[in-house]
Amino acid sequence: MKTVNQKHQSVDGKGIMLGRPAYTDDLADPSSLIIKVLRSPHAFARIKSIDTKKAEKLPGVELVLTHHDVPRVSFTRAGQGYPEPSPHDKFVLDEYVRYVGDEVAVVAAIDESVAEAALDLIDVDYEVIDPVLDFEEAIDHQSVVHPEEGIHEMFPIGFEPKRNIAASYAMDFGDLDNAFKASDVVVEETFHTQAQAHVMMEPHAVNARLDFQDRLLIISATQTPFHVRRILSQTLDIPIEKIRVIKPRVGGGFGGKQALHGEMFAALVTMKTGKPSKLVYTRQEVFESTYTRHPMTLKVKLGATKDGRLNVIDWHVLSNTGAYGEHALTVFMVAGSKVMPLYNKVDAGRFHGEVVYTNTTPAGAYRGYGAIQGNFALESAIDMLCVKLGMDPIAFRQKNMMREGETSPIFEIMGEGTAGTAMTMETCKLDYCLTRGLELIDWNNKYPRTTTEDGKIRSVGMALAMQGSGIPYIDMGAATIKLNDAGFYNLTVGATEIGQGSDTVLSQIAAEALGVPLNKVIVYSSDTDLTPFDTGAYASSTTYVSGNAVYKAAMKMREMLLDEAAVVFGVEGDDIDFDGATFKNKADGKTISLEQLANRITYNEDQKQLTATSSYVGTKSPPPFMAGFIDIAVDKDTGEIDILDYVSVVDCGVPINPKLAQGQVEGGIVQGLGMACFEEVKRGKNGALISHDLLNYKIPTNVDIKKLTTEFAESHEASGPFGAKSVGEIGIDTPPAALANALYNALGIRLTSLPFTAEKIIRALHDKEGEKTT
Amino acid sequence: MKIASLYRPKDVEDALKVSRESTDTVVFGGGAWLKLSPRLVKRAVLLDDMDLATIETSDDAIRVGAMCTLRMVETHDAIAAIGSGIIVQALRQVMGVGLRNIATVGGSVMGKYGFSDVLPPLLALDAKLMFADAGEVSLASFMASKKRMNDIMLYVTIPRTKSVGFFKKVSTTPLDFSLLNITVCKTRDRVRVVLGSRPGGAMHQDVTSRLDLNTIPDEKTLDDVVREVLDAIPLGQNVRASKLYREQLAKTYVRRGVKEVMSREG
Amino acid sequence: MKVNLTINKRPRTIDAEPGDYLLDTLRRHNFLSVKRGCDAASCGVCTVLIDGKPTLSCSVLTARLENKEITTVEGERDEIEKFYAHFGDEGADQCGFCNPGLALTVISLKRTIQNPSDDDIREYIVANLCRCSGYVAQVRAIRRYLEETS
Ligand SMILES: Cc1cc2nc3c(=O)[nH]c(=O)nc-3n(C[C@H](O)[C@H](O)[C@H](O)COP(=O)(O)OP(=O)(O)OC[C@H]3O[C@@H](n4cnc5c(N)ncnc54)[C@H](O)[C@@H]3O)c2cc1C
Ligand code: FES
Ligand code: FES
């Protein structure tokens, strides 16, 4: 292959580094009204009255909106399929505020300082309500987070708002009781995962204006432009054809932009005033008023026979969706569906639980959603089981894990919000990933622990992981390829480049299929007027789903070109050889170049525009797999950890762009390490965030990450474009469990509550020593 | 931070007078920390034209102007030579160069931040402060006093006593505040331990009497030193660490620090 | 008030309010490479060079920059192109939001520290946060850039 699986710089990186305007705030209309949002100081309250008169009188204020001024239509901000599996439990503005940072009123003014001054002039009289802050206490709490009328589920998801339940789910297969009876060893443990913040470097931003056709133009840093268009239209009752959404360059998303944030307000302000408007979130708003990862409590019970056969996996999960139910059910289900199939030989399994409302910052989509929580619990529990069995954790995994050609009943039972899709693993190089990883980390010489020269304890730990590649029968991607004179192509895709490199990867797929160098494919994403539909950048779908659409469009374009060349030569398409650059008549060896042909049909003869559009919906979701290994040195006097290396061996099919794929894995690993080691959304007693800025919410830095070792297994997924599966999320899943297991190997302590701060490690060590002495 | 107007005093008297006019008048160092506060400043007093951004070296001391940036200080050779470079080590762990090119010595001292990594090594080295009105004040008494100094700091004087030092910042990431920082400094006739980010302001304890300055202490002696420090310097809790964990850190690093400075020639 | 300064070698006289920060001034004058990530001296994406020194533009008052030389990536095109050649090769770029600030810090590193070790490099760029990349590819690219151009 010439372009695919080759080293290529990204198509846009240099321009970005040179500072060419690309992001929402770079492109925003400089005359925009500035929007500021008055946010709730209370975790839960009802607005008894709100007086905006003083604010409206302030010179420079154009508009003040409260819940009295906006349509009362319930919706979900989550950009997912439609109808969404998320409950419609949100109003543009509401008389209730449900977390510190929830929206109370909106001001649009000529500049930022006027808008801010106006916020101070709004008088709100709140009836403060006892908030639900502990999600373990949420079900049937005396306070009901959503007492209001007019909210509903789109299809049955176990929505019981009067009980503070946003969604619930249960599934089982096999005979659970028998499977436990047949087990010689059972482990049972409860794991806790924390809220993590996305901390994409570009804050959420949106610019709205009315264009010269009097249509609403929205420029937004979003992962899902087409869902933004639909949700705005449905909620604000604007005809959908009157809305255009442009997704420019996006400065990171990780799921945090897979939902609407400022779009509703900017759209309303611009519709009402007729003027352009802009809302750029402050860093505090990003922390306080967008989303976090869903915190979960996972109770896991495993049973195995003496010889190391895993019989049964049983778990109950409680998930906290915060004030609103975006992605409530789907994230929850993924905790089981993208984790349990790793051990597909069990006789029985159960996965059930609830997703609850609380008065905290809403949880939403976040890279590896559900999977990282589930992976931490299951892969920790597996190591615990091995200890009890007296069995090597590697040998145990080799015996029980998923292998190529096998399947798991989970695939059919569990989808995202609905039933799933049965599939067998056409590609699963987990065995290779595991063996190669052991070599790279030098497991045999380091497991379970050694001592370093400076007296630290060095140890290793590992975990396996899997993901998906899009959501079958739901995620649809489409691509259009247009031939230009001189023989270069435009590729337009709805797929949303958000920094993950999809524009480059999709161009490579097109270039490979069309047989041209990468620079002959000019890519553009995404614009609801100009590019074909795509569900958006989530669920690790872009390379697999949108990539397949690009591949199909390119093949279609080739057919069209052959038809045109056939006219030139006066033969059938089959009689022509075409290598992407030159058409050759097999019979007489005569040739015409693509450039000549393109010029001919543009300017001279048989003039026409060639465009090929194709779309793709997955009929399965081939999982990428990986084995992750951590090498650490722990100071047992202070609990401080040095991360010496993280080895990832990944089966993502054929990496279309190996360097970018490596970047996806490594970026995921580092976010996962952040979650494992210290990242945590912290709240005060009244529910307000303590970690509302980068002084108080820490993410890993360059100095924390000295070495990452990343390799790819040789693998070719026949259903993927040029053999590819997904790689966007898989990297994030393993670090929590791998670190938990390494800490056990180092110190004999089993940490079950993320993150593993140095202080927690010391506390666990002291507890253990206390046990010994008493 | 909202700033209504700027004022650039030409000399010390002018600066002092203006800065004491009202509570809305604020003296600016680099302004990086002030920027984070939501206050309204009627008049920002900028000391930019007062020749306070210089480092002067004499045989027995180094005089660092209040308007020197932290970066100027950390890249100064003579300062790097003091106390095995503890000042430089500490400063290099304050955020990144982009901040240290803004943040000033004056702002770092006058803020008296509990989390400070700048003050502990200065305290360990017995630095002195020069004020426009109050004149010379030792850093130790400045730290010990609860009074807010409505004065202008002109420079800090660091003695060039021969010394060996140890500095350790314990933090979640290099960009976080210290959970605790530990400084140990040995001169010809004194061994001093400073604990900062307790989480309150840095405090010191001289442990000279427990040590024989010419021998490496045994474990028992180190136990005594640790106990003396923990008895003298109270540790507390905040969102970053509990009291118990801070004590654990202090025990570990005071011990390591004292051992290290005692085993080196000073 | 009027401030006389140089932006990317061009002398300018700029109107500034007493409370204007350099980041806002630069963006208002269309130097859009300078990004805002936190507005609180904590992320590094707003880094510019002032008299050659990397500085967080969100936290410097414009009014204090009389006679200073400001450099953004728009003014370092040649050097950026050299740096990006390695950066792109290593696949160190993702969303790119942190890249202009990082690139300027790296250029200043090259001009101030001779033969830095990997640890020196990491320490110098530690406050240029990146949430996408995993960092190690950045350091590899910086190493190659320094080796090639020094
Ligand atoms: C994001 C961030 C992270 C930080 N992290 C750390 C850290 O980890 N460790 C650490 O040690 N420090 C840290 N600091 C603090 C930093 O080191 C400086 O101490 C701080 O920025 C103050 O310096 P400044 O020049 O910005 O002061 P300013 O903000 O200008 O002033 C601070 C205070 O000092 C007063 N002041 C300034 N100069 C004088 C003077 N000459 N006379 C009288 N009063 C004066 C001001 O009125 C004000 O009250 C951090 C700062 C920021 C912004
Ligand atoms: S914008 Fe984050 S440091 Fe300036
Ligand atoms: S590339 Fe996205 S923040 Fe660095």
Side-chain angles (χ1 to χ4, degrees), chain A residues 113 116 635 637-640 678 682 690 695-696 698-701 703-704 758-759 762 766, chain B residues 2 33 36 168 170-177 239-242 245 248-249 252-253 256:
Chain A
S113 60
E116 274 168 2
D635 185 327
D637 295 327
T638 65
E640 292 167 283
F678 51 77
K682 288 189 187 144
I690 296 168
L695 274 176
N696 292 292
K698 289 291 149 190
I699 64 171
T701 72
V703 169
D704 300 300
E759 174 163 357
I762 284 299
H766 285 181
Chain B
K2 298 241 174 352
W33 190 257
L36 304 183
K168 171 71 189 179
V170 182
S171 63
T172 307
T173 81
L175 301 187
D176 199 8
F177 292 147
V239 65
R240 281 178 170 71
S242 68
Y245 184 59
Q248 176 68 21
L249 290 174
T252 308
Y253 284 111
R256 289 183 193 172

Side-chain angles (χ1 to χ4, degrees), chain C residues 49 52 71 76 79 106-114 146:
Chain C
L49 303 181
T71 309
E76 286 282 3
E79 210 55 44
V106 169
I107 289 171
S108 143
L109 164 74
K110 177 179 142 179
R111 290 172 187 163
T112 49
I113 299 183
Q114 302 296 315
L146 295 176

